[in-house]
């Protein structure tokens, strides 16, 4: 529990109220207003939670001004260079890096959960072929509650653990199946001899008719994309998972809620929207037109992949992603990619433009991820599902932390009501 070393004083209508100031291990202090309504009969107002800490957490820390992202204290740059996705999953879930034995056991357990209940295949077939894979994923992940009854009891630590393993293991299978279904190809079963990222590429790109060999460099790039997306503090989808979980809902239902929230273009859907925007711009000479539109208050257009609620400096994930994009395009022999040229020039111009500089709008993680994924052969509709499967470990870690919090309560925000006061019903002839 965070320490209280001092208090802030609120004066209202001549009365004073002491608000404890909680000190985090790093980051801004937090005013504890939990007793404010009971004592002073007032609410606080913070739509969009720009100044509100909704929970106490030990998992991920972001310093938006420095452009710093830590998973359990470890900088994302170090993890991206030295670690791998499943190790990061262990770290996020358990709080510490695993020993060799712990890692082997964890990998073994995840690998043994990669297959889906065979009947889920029938569930997939209920969707239209042209469904967006995110639509399919929201449905199928929610439906896991109907297939895995032995991991629904949130009060049983073992069942919580099994649900976590199942989701981390099965989300790539579900995302790959959603893709295969959308292109009319047969589902490809997981291969347990491959590592997590390579297995995902195998399930997406292999066909029964011929052998498919996963390029190790592409598997590494995919693994890095997964690591960079694994958790991101109390963002919209994570807060959604926590809120859904606060009512006692089962973990599959909570993660389905997170996937639904992630889908929006202001959040995880930005990677698809960004690549579509880069395609629409098409060539470097059209960039000024789009920059002008992004700056025009009367035009709803925004530069997708730019800006962030917390980062007011370079998104550290975008830096790593940019390096990865260069490596992958090089490996695949894609030189003079017009989309990459547009992206690099757009970034250069925006970073010098007063509008973007003054508002501290920098490229975010979604700016370069789409370029890598497209080069690997993914259609834009798969970008957000890949974000979702990578973020699943973050959602589950935060959900587990929430359930373990002894001060936890159902999430129930209040409101600033500005509607009618009580009035009498008017019969139809008198309206
Ligand atoms: N292009 C042009 N102007 C922008 C942009 C942008 N991408 N982002 C913010 N602004 C402007 C905005 O118009 C506002 O201007 P003013 O103060 O004059 O009204 C100012 O910057 C602040 O924007 P905001 O909408 O109040 O900021 P926010 O913290 O609520 O929104 C954001 C953050 C990420 C939703 C927003 O920057 C955005 O819509 N970016 C594009 C979508 C995107 O790339 N999303 C991915 C985020 S990273 C991955 C993830 O979290 O899933």
């Amino acid at each position: 529990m965070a320490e209280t070393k001092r208090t802030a004083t609120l004066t209202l209508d001549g009365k004073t109220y002491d608000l404890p100031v909680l000190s985090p291990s790093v980051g801004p202090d937090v005013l504890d207003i939990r007793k404010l309504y009971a004592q002073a009969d007032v609410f606080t107002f913070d739509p969009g939670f720009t100044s509100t800490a909704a929970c106490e957490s030990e998992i991920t820390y972001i310093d938006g001004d420095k452009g710093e992202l830590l998973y359990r204290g470890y900088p994302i740059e170090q993890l991206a260079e030295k670690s791998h996705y499943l190790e990061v999953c262990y770290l996020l879930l358990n709080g510490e890096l695993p020993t060799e034995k712990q890692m082997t056991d964890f990998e073994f357990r995840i690998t043994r959960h990669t297959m889906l209940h065979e009947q889920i295949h029938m569930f997939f077939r209920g969707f239209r072929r042209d469904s967006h894979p995110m639509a399919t994923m929201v449905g199928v992940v929610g439906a896991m509650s109907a297939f895995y009854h032995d991991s629904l009891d949130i009060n049983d630590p073992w069942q919580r653990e099994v649900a976590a393993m199942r989701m981390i293991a099965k989300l790539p299978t579900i995302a790959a199946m959603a893709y295969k279904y959308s292109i009319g190809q047969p589902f490809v079963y997981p291969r347990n001899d491959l590592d997590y990222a390579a297995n995902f590429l195998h399930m997406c790109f292999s066909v029964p008719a011929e052998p498919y060999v996963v390029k190790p460099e592409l598997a590494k790039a995919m693994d890095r994309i997964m690591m960079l997306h694994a958790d991101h503090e109390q963002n919209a989808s994570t807060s959604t998972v926590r809120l859904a979980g606060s009512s006692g809902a089962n973990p599959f239902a909570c993660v389905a809620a997170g996937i639904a929230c992630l889908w929006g273009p202001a959040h995880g859907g930005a990677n698809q929207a960004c690549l579509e925007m880069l395609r629409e711009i098409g060539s470097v000479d059209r960039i000024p037109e789009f920059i002008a539109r992004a700056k025009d208050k009367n035009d709803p257009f925004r530069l997708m992949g730019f800006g962030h609620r917390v980062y007011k400096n370079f998104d550290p994930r975008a830096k790593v992603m940019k390096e990865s994009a260069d490596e992958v395009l090089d490996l695949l022999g894609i030189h003079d990619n017009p989309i990459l040229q547009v992206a690099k020039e757009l970034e250069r111009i925006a970073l010098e433009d007063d509008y973007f500089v003054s508002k501290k709008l920098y490229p975010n993680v979604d700016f370069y991820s789409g370029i890598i994924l497209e080069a690997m052969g993914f259609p834009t509709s798969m970008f957000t599902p890949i974000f979702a499967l990578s973020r699943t470990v973050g959602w589950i870690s935060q959900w587990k932390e929430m359930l373990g919090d002894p001060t936890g309560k159902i999430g129930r925000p209040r409101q600033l009501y500005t509607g009618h006061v009580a009035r009498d019903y008017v019969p139809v002839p008198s309206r």
Side-chain angles (χ1 to χ4, degrees):
M1 182 73 197
E3 277 182 70
T4 309
K5 289 196 189 130
R6 52 200 178 108
T7 52
T9 308
L10 171 75
T11 307
L12 188 68
D13 299 332
K15 288 194 189 147
T16 58
Y17 303 94
D18 285 338
L19 303 174
V21 181
L22 303 175
S23 301
S25 45
V26 56
D29 284 349
V30 173
L31 296 184
D32 181 350
I33 56 160
R34 278 176 290 185
K35 298 205 173 108
L36 187 63
Y37 172 54
Q39 290 173 349
D41 198 26
V42 288
F43 294 143
T44 54
F45 184 55
D46 185 19
F49 301 104
T50 51
S51 302
T52 296
C55 63
E56 190 173 332
S57 181
E58 297 180 352
I59 302 175
T60 294
Y61 175 72
I62 303 173
D63 184 324
D65 293 322
K66 279 207 257 171
E68 179 178 67
L69 169 60
L70 310 177
Y71 290 165
R72 300 281 190 184
Y74 296 102
I76 190 68
E77 296 84 354
Q78 285 185 27
L79 293 170
E81 192 195 329
K82 298 177 182 163
S83 184
H84 58 92
Y85 182 69
L86 277 190
E87 187 177 63
V88 164
C89 288
Y90 185 98
L91 173 69
L92 289 170
L93 278 169
N94 300 296
E96 295 297 338
L97 288 168
T99 61
E100 206 173 335
K101 163 126 185 25
Q102 286 167 331
M103 192 64 237
T104 311
D105 291 350
F106 184 71
E107 252 164 338
F108 181 85
R109 289 185 70 195
I110 293 288
T111 310
R112 263 65 198 172
H113 278 297
T114 50
M115 275 172 47
L116 280 173
H117 190 293
E118 194 62 15
Q119 217 168 325
I120 295 185
H121 292 210
M122 257 110 79
F123 189 76
F124 267 93
R125 293 183 202 285
F127 287 94
R128 281 172 53 139
R129 289 271 176 196
D130 59 359
S131 307
H132 194 289
M134 282 297 276
T136 314
M137 282 181 74
V138 173
V140 175
V141 173
M144 286 172 83
S145 336
F147 287 91
Y148 300 105
H149 296 144
D150 56 348
S151 48
L152 295 181
D153 182 356
I154 61 162
N155 299 312
D156 176 345
W158 174 249
Q159 293 201 29
R160 290 208 294 262
E161 192 65 22
V162 175
M165 295 294 151
R166 280 188 168 140
M167 266 183 285
I168 295 167
K170 292 181 200 306
L171 257 288
T173 315
I174 293 173
M177 285 170 75
Y179 172 52
K180 286 295 195 190
Y181 187 73
S182 73
I183 55 172
Q185 286 188 4
F187 297 136
V188 174
Y189 285 90
R191 263 184 51 193
N192 289 351
D193 59 321
L194 295 175
D195 67 37
Y196 192 88
N199 176 49
F200 177 61
L201 293 176
H202 154 77
M203 289 190 291
C204 288
F205 296 124
S206 76
V207 288
E210 55 188 58
Y212 171 79
V213 180
V214 184
K215 281 197 170 71
E217 298 88 344
L218 293 189
K220 190 164 171 22
M222 175 52 74
D223 188 273
R224 190 175 279 177
I225 289 178
M226 291 169 168
M227 259 194 280
L228 295 176
H229 286 92
D231 194 42
H232 213 227
E233 208 226 64
Q234 307 309 321
N235 57 84
S237 57
T238 301
S239 301
T240 301
V241 170
R242 278 187 178 257
L243 197 56
S246 76
S247 74
N250 75 67
F252 304 107
C254 295
V255 169
I259 296 173
C261 178
L262 185 79
W263 195 356
H267 193 7
N271 49 16
Q272 172 170 351
C274 179
L275 201 94
E276 285 165 359
M277 175 194 76
L278 294 174
R279 277 201 198 123
E280 196 191 341
I281 298 175
S283 59
V284 167
D285 56 302
R286 294 192 65 207
I287 292 175
E289 179 195 327
F290 283 82
I291 294 266
R293 283 187 61 195
K295 287 155 66 171
D296 182 356
K297 280 251 167 262
N298 301 315
D299 189 331
F301 174 78
R302 283 185 169 202
L303 275 195
M304 300 314 288
F306 260 80
H308 197 273
R309 169 62 62 77
V310 184
Y311 292 120
K312 300 302 165 199
N313 199 326
F314 237 94
D315 178 340
R317 302 168 300 172
K319 277 191 196 159
V320 180
M321 208 63 98
K322 189 177 179 181
E323 281 167 25
S324 254
D326 283 333
E327 281 165 24
V328 168
L329 295 185
D330 223 31
L331 175 80
L332 296 174
I334 306 175
H335 301 295
D336 304 325
N337 174 312
I339 300 291
L340 186 67
Q341 276 175 7
V342 170
K344 285 193 168 162
E345 187 59 8
L346 184 63
E347 178 186 328
R348 193 191 62 77
I349 295 177
L351 290 179
E352 286 172 2
D353 189 293
D354 193 46
Y355 173 93
F356 291 90
V357 173
S358 61
K359 292 184 192 302
K360 300 186 176 170
L361 299 170
Y362 290 86
N364 59 49
V365 68
D366 294 319
F367 194 66
Y368 281 106
S369 59
I371 292 170
I372 307 179
L373 293 173
E374 192 192 42
M376 285 179 173
F378 286 105
T380 49
S381 62
M382 277 303 287
F383 295 180
T384 318
I386 290 169
F387 192 155
L389 74 89
S390 315
R391 181 57 58 86
T392 296
V393 67
W395 291 329
I396 289 289
S397 306
Q398 302 266 354
W399 171 81
K400 273 180 68 187
E401 183 178 66
M402 180 202 66
L403 289 181
D405 181 349
T407 64
K409 283 181 186 299
I410 184 167
R412 181 35 172 112
R414 303 307 300 263
Q415 61 177 1
L416 170 62
Y417 178 69
T418 52
H420 287 285
V421 295
R423 52 183 176 159
D424 289 326
Y425 178 80
V426 181
V428 173
S430 316
R431 284 176 208 165

